[in-house]
Amino acid sequence: MRFLGSLRENRARRRKALRERAEQEAASANAASPDTKSPEATPAEIQSAEPQAAANQSSTPPPTETVQDLLRKVATKEPMSEATKAEKPKEEKLSAVEVFKQESNHLLSPIPEELVDGTDHFGKASIQLIKHHGTYQQDNRDTRKSKGKSYSFMVRSAIPGGKLTSAQMMAELDLCDEVGNTTLRITTRQGLQLHGVLKSNLKQVIRRINDVQLTTLAACGDVERNVMCSPCPYKTDPVYDQMQELADKIAKHLQPRTRAYHELWLTDDETGEKQLAGGGSNGHTIEPIYGPTYLPRKFKTGIGLPGDNSADIYSQDLGLLAICENWNIIGYNVLVGGGFGTTPSAKKTFAAIAQPMAFVSATQAVDVAEAIVKVQRDFGNRADRKVARLKYLIHNWGLDRFKQKVEEYYGAQLQSPRPVSIESHNDGMGWHAQGDGRFFYGLNVENGRIKDEGLYRLKTALRQICGTLAPPLRLTPHQGLIFCDIEANDRAKIEKILREHCVPLTEETSSARRWSMACPALPTCGLAITESERALPSMMDEFEKELKQIGLQDEVFTTRMTGCPNGCARPYNSDIGLVGKTADKYTIFLGGRVQGDRLNFVYKDLVPTAEVVPTLVAVFRHFKDARQEGESFGDFCHRQGADQLLAACDN
């Protein structure tokens, strides 16, 4: 149980409001459904931690106190149990974002009033709350000095496993032209992002996305984000369908239930009727999983295979590694505590890869995922957002204690993880037989940006392919695009359309460029320190030439670039990580690998943009001369270490 506490000067007033609201919500929930659990207490005093015990499992003792027990004891000053006292953290002032969530009435207020106030931006509270609805407020930093802040919005669609139809892609392309900045972006989490949307157009954009059965709900914010999964559409391997089905189940199960989303964005302006097209369900006025203040910070989940870690499961708060027998998933190794956001000035922050915690059967996976989310909900840090991710809770507690708490919430003990490790990463690029007589084609999309620029007209090519052949589509975790269910006689048509629009085929893309990706960074990201997406293509132009000269043009290694240390493009487990440190300078990380199961290390800090490629080329020359047979670039750097590499290359 976690007692969050209130601000001292408002304690008496909040206790009264606590009792009244709890009684009202309990009556409402019981009236709506006799099987629905009582609602959690208001966050002004308590963040609930009511464990969910499996109906047929009772091997673990029940939780020490229920939410209603704590509610009563807060109101009456009755002492808590010793077990609860031992776990209750020291009373701390909540962060500003927690207060905003507390007072929002499940992510609603004050957004409605500000949405129609005639300004081009939102206030501080709404800026944080709208993230849960799938949008970020941004301004153009290229023109900030000359014109002041010019506000627009990024709108992100959550697409579990990256699965969408051609019609849905066409709808997003229409929006980027009509109300965006004319580009669409495939994210590093298999979603789609519109940029440059004005505040006055937000409602129509979100509603139109829902009209094609997509949603922006929970694409951002302190909730379960888009659930990642290998997107490859192999038909002869049922394991891929099983993983993708689990991604859908987890996404649906952990989606916020608040009706605020539908009230804000999907209500018909003329009739007042709420449209429930894209997410949520009618009748829920409370959050049975998240409670009224949601999670302390964002929560990310990915599902992968030992032979296909394209979902980068070690980078996630929750990673599920499928264990297979006879072409069937029998269960998952549960990995917990990954996460890459850091603040260099705050030594308490760090990047972490997830640790194996348990093995669960395929039928247990959703309920165990819920238990993990609830433990983070109730014990994650709500005072300091810099250390609010799950990785810090596990770091403070230790994995054993964390597992015990998850077992308590789940209602049964969990098995130890199986001795299985990651072997490879299948990016799905190029032509592949699906196994049903048809094919899929993975197209490399540089940094995920879908645009028409000069002779390069990917956006127009996609309109033609989606409008004529209408293939099902998949977005990849490396910002690529897969065309599915292609008939043998349509393969040439796909390639012809792409060539006519000067879109390089994957087969014509260098290995270095194919395995690279970047975050958007400048000019729209408010956290960016320096360039990323706009800088990486020219770096790759130079890098390709150098690698070809030394005969390593076919070497496979991952390069990931971010404009700040927050790590949105997952640079901390790649072979090469380029992280913006200050204006026009980067920290170079080396020693991760394609498999994604190892952190890299700082090789050089504060490297100017012009020196990044020469610095890397020196390491590759040494790699060619000193590598062991079959050794990858990341493994070589890991074996050598920073000191040996610097001694050999920095001269």
Side-chain angles (χ1 to χ4, degrees):
M1 302 295 168
R2 184 170 185 184
F3 174 79
L4 289 177
S6 63
L7 300 176
R8 294 181 183 278
E9 65 270 24
N10 293 327
R11 188 179 299 277
R13 176 174 59 82
R14 289 183 182 271
R15 280 182 182 146
K16 181 179 178 182
L18 171 69
R19 291 193 298 270
E20 291 175 352
R21 181 166 179 177
E23 290 169 359
Q24 292 171 358
E25 290 189 344
S28 172
N30 290 333
S33 172
D35 296 327
T36 302
K37 293 182 180 179
S38 298
E40 287 96 348
T42 178
E45 294 290 348
I46 298 171
Q47 180 69 36
S48 107
E50 181 180 3
Q52 176 180 329
N56 60 346
Q57 295 170 319
S58 58
S59 61
T60 299
T64 53
E65 296 179 86
T66 67
V67 172
Q68 295 305 321
D69 289 337
L70 278 177
L71 175 61
R72 184 185 68 253
K73 292 180 180 184
V74 169
T76 64
K77 299 184 180 180
E78 181 181 342
M80 297 179 186
S81 71
E82 292 303 316
T84 301
K85 283 182 181 178
E87 289 189 337
K88 184 177 78 66
K90 187 181 297 183
E91 188 173 334
E92 294 179 303
K93 182 177 179 179
L94 300 179
S95 71
V97 176
E98 289 302 314
V99 176
F100 295 152
K101 290 185 290 183
Q102 274 187 19
E103 298 174 351
S104 71
N105 187 20
H106 296 97
L107 308 178
L108 182 63
S109 299
I111 301 173
E113 296 79 15
E114 295 183 11
L115 192 60
V116 294
D117 65 7
T119 69
D120 63 351
H121 61 281
F122 287 97
K124 289 182 179 179
S126 292
I127 287 172
Q128 299 300 326
L129 297 172
I130 61 174
K131 294 176 183 179
H132 301 76
H133 299 270
T135 181
Y136 274 72
Q137 180 170 297
Q138 301 177 326
D139 74 283
N140 189 335
R141 294 172 62 184
D142 283 347
T143 61
R144 187 187 287 179
K145 288 184 179 180
S146 60
K147 299 180 180 179
K149 290 189 176 181
S150 176
Y151 292 103
S152 66
F153 294 81
M154 178 272 283
V155 180
R156 182 184 295 158
S157 297
I159 307 172
K163 302 185 297 293
L164 73 163
T165 66
S166 280
Q168 289 169 333
M169 175 62 82
M170 292 277 279
E172 296 261 9
L173 291 173
D174 288 343
L175 286 170
C176 84
D177 282 340
E178 295 172 26
V179 293
N181 68 353
T182 74
T183 73
L184 184 64
R185 196 170 197 277
I186 303 170
T187 76
T188 59
R189 295 195 61 80
Q190 299 179 275
L192 288 172
Q193 284 183 184
L194 295 161
H195 290 264
V197 176
L198 299 180
K199 180 182 173 184
S200 58
N201 289 326
L202 271 178
K203 183 165 184 175
Q204 72 151 307
V205 168
I206 293 176
R207 183 168 180 177
R208 284 173 62 180
I209 288 172
N210 278 264
D211 284 344
V212 293
Q213 300 300 305
L214 293 176
T215 186
T216 66
L217 178 63
C220 323
D222 298 340
V223 288
E224 168 67 73
R225 298 287 184 91
N226 195 42
V227 180
M228 295 175 65
C229 182
S230 171
C232 294
Y234 294 113
K235 301 303 181 184
T236 54
D237 188 349
V239 165
Y240 278 84
D241 284 341
Q242 291 167 15
M243 287 193 300
Q244 290 153 6
E245 287 170 7
L246 179 60
D248 289 337
K249 288 179 181 178
I250 291 176
K252 183 176 181 180
H253 188 73
L254 296 180
Q255 190 177 62
R257 307 295 204 275
T258 176
R259 290 166 59 184
Y261 184 78
H262 306 92
E263 182 173 333
L264 280 168
W265 314 111
L266 307 181
T267 301
D268 187 280
D269 291 329
E270 295 182 2
T271 67
E273 181 181 355
K274 292 181 176 63
Q275 308 295 319
L276 301 178
S281 55
N282 201 8
H284 287 274
T285 58
I286 60 170
E287 293 283 9
I289 294 175
Y290 290 116
T293 50
Y294 299 84
L295 297 181
R297 207 66 165 81
K298 58 188 173 185
F299 191 96
K300 299 179 177 180
T301 298
I303 306 169
L305 285 167
D308 184 359
N309 188 29
S310 59
D312 234 343
I313 63 173
Y314 283 87
S315 71
Q316 315 279 355
D317 295 270
L318 169 61
L320 296 168
L321 179 61
I323 309 299
C324 308
E325 291 181 3
N326 299 320
W327 301 90
N328 186 57
I329 296 177
I330 61 168
Y332 296 87
N333 272 358
V334 178
L335 286 67
V336 292
F340 286 169
T342 65
T343 304
S345 61
K347 299 300 182 183
K348 60 189 175 183
T349 68
F350 52 82
I353 58 170
Q355 305 174 61
M357 182 191 77
F359 170 82
V360 300
S361 70
T363 57
Q364 291 176 299
V366 173
D367 290 336
V368 171
E370 177 183 330
I372 292 169
V373 165
K374 285 184 172 180
V375 172
Q376 166 65 354
R377 175 196 69 187
D378 294 335
F379 297 98
N381 192 314
R382 291 183 183 266
D384 185 351
R385 288 179 68 80
K386 284 185 172 62
V387 290
R389 290 285 296 274
L390 181 66
K391 63 183 177 181
Y392 297 110
L393 177 62
I394 294 173
H395 175 74
N396 292 335
W397 278 11
L399 186 61
D400 289 343
R401 180 183 172 190
F402 179 78
K403 180 182 179 183
Q404 289 171 4
K405 184 57 65 175
V406 171
E407 290 172 333
E408 179 184 325
Y409 275 49
Y410 174 64
Q413 291 185 343
L414 300 174
Q415 297 180 42
S416 297
R418 302 285 177 90
V420 177
S421 59
I422 294 293
E423 300 164 6
S424 61
H425 172 168
N426 179 8
D427 67 350
M429 295 293 98
W431 284 109
H432 301 266
Q434 287 186 174
D436 59 355
R438 294 179 290 185
F439 297 83
F440 70 86
Y441 183 68
L443 177 68
N444 179 77
V445 180
E446 189 166 27
N447 302 320
R449 185 67 66 176
I450 298 173
K451 60 184 178 180
D452 284 356
E453 186 175 75
L455 295 177
Y456 176 83
R457 291 169 293 147
L458 174 59
K459 186 171 59 175
T460 300
L462 286 184
R463 285 189 181 280
Q464 187 171 339
I465 292 170
C466 293
T468 57
L469 300 176
L473 304 172
R474 304 282 176 91
L475 311 174
T476 81
H478 239 251
Q479 302 176 295
L481 180 63
I482 294 177
F483 303 98
C484 309
D485 297 350
I486 305 300
E487 301 292 346
N489 57 3
D490 286 332
R491 289 179 56 168
K493 294 179 184 177
I494 295 278
E495 293 187 359
K496 182 173 184 292
I497 292 171
L498 293 173
R499 290 183 188 280
E500 286 176 346
H501 293 86
C502 299
V503 177
L505 301 181
T506 295
E507 295 81 356
E508 300 166 344
T509 304
S510 72
S511 178
R513 195 178 300 264
R514 168 175 165 176
W515 288 95
S516 69
M517 65 178 180
C519 71
L522 296 173
T524 54
C525 177
L527 298 175
I529 300 167
T530 190
E531 297 284 358
S532 183
E533 180 186 342
R534 296 193 298 192
L536 189 58
S538 59
M539 283 188 181
M540 282 295 151
D541 290 342
E542 183 182 355
F543 205 13
E544 286 172 340
K545 295 176 184 177
E546 295 286 353
L547 289 172
K548 188 172 183 179
Q549 284 187 356
I550 59 179
L552 293 176
Q553 66 271 21
D554 297 325
E555 198 68 32
V556 174
F557 56 91
T558 47
T559 304
R560 297 173 181 172
M561 186 177 197
T562 60
C564 80
N566 282 285
C568 292
R570 304 190 295 277
Y572 300 118
N573 64 342
S574 55
D575 296 77
I576 301 170
L578 305 175
V579 177
K581 184 67 175 291
T582 187
D584 197 39
K585 292 182 180 179
Y586 299 86
T587 303
I588 297 179
F589 292 81
L590 298 175
R593 59 179 187 164
V594 173
Q595 290 91 329
D597 57 352
R598 180 176 69 213
L599 289 177
N600 46 29
F601 56 82
V602 174
Y603 174 60
K604 278 192 177 182
D605 199 16
L606 296 174
V607 179
T609 302
E611 296 179 18
V612 168
V613 172
T615 299
L616 292 174
V617 169
V619 181
F620 271 89
R621 291 185 184 279
H622 178 50
F623 164 63
K624 182 180 181 182
D625 294 337
R627 71 190 295 187
Q628 296 176 353
E629 185 176 355
E631 189 174 33
S632 71
F633 178 72
D635 287 347
F636 170 79
C637 292
H638 178 72
R639 176 172 61 84
Q640 292 271 306
D643 291 341
Q644 287 191 52
L645 288 177
L646 286 168
C649 307
D650 191 23
N651 48 47

